[in-house]
Amino acid sequence: MGRHSIISPLDGDHPHSSVSAKQHYKMLVLGGGSGGIAMSARMKRMMGAENVAVVEPSEMHYYQPIWTLVGAGAKTAASSGRSTASVMPSGVKWVKSKVEEINPDTNTVRTDDGTEISYEYLIVALGLQLHYERIKGLPDGFEHPKIGSNYSIQTVEKTWNALQNFKGGNAVFSFPNTPVKCAGAPQKIMYLSDSYLRKTGKRSKAKIIYNTSLPVLFGVKKYADSLWEIVKQRDLQVNLRQNLIEVRADKQEAVFENLDKPGETTVIEYEMLHVTPPMGPSLAIKGGPLADEVGWLDVDRDTLQHKRYPNVFGIGDCTNLPTVRTAAAVAAQSAILNRTISKTLKKEKPDKKYDGYTSCPLVTSYNTVILAEFDYNLQPLETFPINQAKERRLMYHMKADLMPHLYWHGLLRGLWGGPGPYRKLLHLGMK
């Protein structure tokens, strides 16, 4: 993958000699996803591009929220990606390597090519890890038709293929027994599949089944009540506390365990299967000094500063912030974290608190969305002066057309975000 190409003669002639390849930055950002790029843009403004570096191995950067629509054929996979080079703030150093180890006691990070980078301040934005391999029969099962997953660029178009080729039978959708990013996505594809099958005249031949490990359909009661109504109206079968443990792709069988009666399993034959993989902490954090007991980055929920290392900060999916992991949460967190860091640099106490704001645009058809916005306490924290628990066309256009634009041209440039990012959007619209 050309990982060593970033070591230019200026960095030392020998990529594998950590002495010659040693680099130092005032602000080192780990991860080039939404949180990492947004914060590196903000840090460039705060301390100058030459003082900031981003460690990220991937050549491509993806706007993942749109994969829900890619899996349903409403957007193309190509539209979700841009080159990492194009989103990296100009002048900021891009270290095209993978983080191997973080040593906060010596303020150093080691990458997979042996380079050691030292820092004064560190922002960890490493996202989370997908674990398809924790489901027996995967990821190999994706080589068979009729199975897909909107959580990976490798498998999202397989979802659309399975939906297009559906003739009749069970269409099955799963939600794993782990924390996940965008907790609404596993059911959004169910509603879209239902809409597609109605549009193509195949709905009467289909039984749509949503098996979730959770004890609820959605964590916030106000939105869950609306979703249960939709489930009833559209004749969708929801089974709670069911966890996907095995896929027999050659036989088109999915095996679920009943979490309330461990050991009790159900085998369901499928004609289409959408898998949401188990997820877990970044392996570069887990088990290291920055992790909590589970493996997530251990940050203060108000300020996003690390609990034990005051020169370390975190943002997004890699943290143990008790909120739902979404791009909207990253947008809200980026403004708070920016404030926390600027105060820390001045040796002052952070004065802005993150309230846990997150948002999940629950796509319920090809032209409607329920816009869920809420805080740490799972209380609605809504932007618009309307009942957001109702399905609305306007919110669909915001999700499908406006948000990607704001992501590429606002969030990633460190220009958009703050408590309730949609509020900022409203203000922009009124200007």
Side-chain angles (χ1 to χ4, degrees):
M1 296 260 305
R3 292 247 174 108
H4 301 317
S5 57
I6 47 88
I7 305 286
S8 69
L10 294 173
D11 297 325
D13 298 324
H14 310 290
H16 292 288
S17 155
S18 57
V19 179
S20 60
K22 179 136 183 174
Q23 305 163 40
H24 177 81
Y25 296 93
K26 183 165 185 181
M27 178 61 77
L28 185 61
V29 181
L30 304 183
S34 348
I37 296 293
M39 288 314 298
S40 60
R42 287 175 179 267
M43 293 301 102
K44 173 185 169 176
R45 284 202 292 278
M46 193 183 287
M47 52 185 64
E50 69 284 357
N51 293 309
V52 183
V54 182
V55 184
E56 170 55 56
S58 305
E59 293 281 352
M60 288 294 287
H61 177 105
Y62 291 100
Y63 176 58
Q64 296 179 24
I66 212 76
W67 287 347
T68 285
L69 299 178
V70 174
K75 294 278 182 186
T76 64
S79 73
S80 72
R82 296 195 180 176
S83 69
T84 301
S86 71
V87 300
M88 193 66 64
S90 62
V92 164
K93 172 72 176 176
W94 174 19
V95 181
K96 205 181 295 180
S97 303
K98 197 169 169 225
V99 176
E100 196 77 21
E101 194 183 356
I102 310 167
N103 295 305
D105 295 311
T106 56
N107 293 335
T108 57
V109 168
R110 193 165 49 76
T111 64
D112 61 348
D113 60 9
T115 307
E116 192 168 272
I117 309 168
S118 57
Y119 60 82
E120 213 173 309
Y121 298 95
L122 184 71
I123 294 173
V124 186
L126 286 169
L128 50 63
Q129 206 82 18
L130 303 180
H131 290 291
Y132 288 102
E133 79 286 349
R134 288 192 191 160
I135 297 168
K136 193 177 171 188
L138 294 184
D140 298 353
F142 287 114
E143 288 164 22
H144 291 259
K146 308 192 177 187
I147 169 174
S149 174
N150 292 352
Y151 275 86
S152 158
I153 192 66
Q154 280 81 35
T155 55
V156 63
E157 288 168 305
K158 293 181 191 292
T159 306
W160 175 225
N161 288 340
L163 184 53
Q164 282 176 292
N165 296 324
F166 184 90
K167 302 283 188 292
N170 293 332
V172 182
F173 304 83
S174 74
F175 186 111
N177 191 26
T178 64
V180 300
K181 53 181 168 182
C182 194
Q187 59 183 294
K188 295 179 203 180
I189 187 61
M190 165 180 67
Y191 302 126
L192 284 162
S193 298
D194 169 72
S195 293
Y196 178 80
L197 296 176
R198 286 175 193 277
K199 268 200 318 201
T200 51
K202 299 181 201 166
R203 182 61 183 93
S204 60
K205 300 191 194 90
K207 184 176 184 183
I208 295 181
I209 302 167
Y210 180 61
N211 275 5
T212 172
S213 67
L214 299 175
V216 292
L217 183 55
F218 194 73
V220 182
K221 187 180 183 307
K222 175 177 180 174
Y223 307 118
D225 290 348
S226 296
L227 294 169
W228 277 117
E229 282 302 309
I230 292 169
V231 163
K232 285 195 198 89
Q233 282 162 15
R234 300 191 195 164
D235 190 26
L236 309 172
Q237 188 182 322
V238 174
N239 302 313
L240 305 175
R241 305 291 288 147
Q242 294 292 319
N243 184 38
L244 180 64
I245 56 168
E246 184 181 356
V247 175
R248 301 167 185 158
D250 52 338
K251 298 183 190 157
Q252 290 168 225
E253 291 177 347
V255 185
F256 290 88
E257 180 176 25
N258 180 345
L259 293 173
D260 291 332
K261 296 178 182 166
E264 182 183 295
T265 59
T266 311
V267 179
I268 302 178
E269 279 185 50
Y270 64 82
E271 195 48 36
M272 171 187 178
L273 175 64
H274 178 268
V275 177
T276 302
M279 301 178 207
S282 160
L283 302 178
I285 300 169
K286 194 177 179 175
L290 293 177
D292 65 10
E293 61 285 354
V294 186
W296 303 101
L297 188 79
D298 199 11
V299 295
D300 181 286
R301 59 182 272 168
D302 295 332
T303 65
L304 283 70
Q305 189 168 29
H306 196 273
K307 289 180 182 169
R308 295 181 301 281
Y309 296 92
N311 65 331
V312 176
F313 309 89
I315 187 168
D317 296 352
C318 69
T319 66
N320 62 356
L321 296 168
T323 192
V324 174
R325 296 168 165 86
T326 64
V330 167
Q333 290 163 22
S334 66
I336 302 289
L337 182 51
N338 195 59
R339 180 76 175 184
T340 293
I341 291 170
S342 84
K343 285 287 186 186
T344 303
L345 291 174
K346 294 179 192 148
K347 306 271 188 283
E348 293 172 17
K349 256 192 147 22
D351 59 350
K352 282 268 193 298
K353 286 186 174 182
Y354 175 50
D355 54 11
Y357 173 89
T358 190
S359 162
C360 193
L362 293 151
V363 184
T364 53
S365 76
Y366 283 91
N367 56 13
T368 54
V369 158
I370 287 174
L371 182 61
E373 294 181 282
F374 49 97
D375 62 13
Y376 277 138
N377 303 319
L378 299 180
Q379 293 305 306
L381 204 62
E382 297 183 343
T383 299
F384 300 93
I386 49 176
N387 176 11
Q388 288 182 201
K390 281 184 72 165
E391 294 179 273
R392 295 184 190 273
R393 280 172 181 262
L394 176 67
M395 299 304 183
Y396 179 86
H397 292 298
M398 197 169 83
K399 154 85 182 166
D401 308 315
L402 187 58
M403 298 311 291
H405 182 78
L406 280 168
Y407 179 83
W408 296 114
H409 303 287
L411 177 63
L412 293 188
R413 293 182 182 175
L415 301 172
W416 181 62
Y422 296 104
R423 226 157 291 158
K424 187 110 177 231
L425 192 149
L426 265 185
H427 296 154
L428 290 173
M430 289 170 184
K431 280 181 182 169

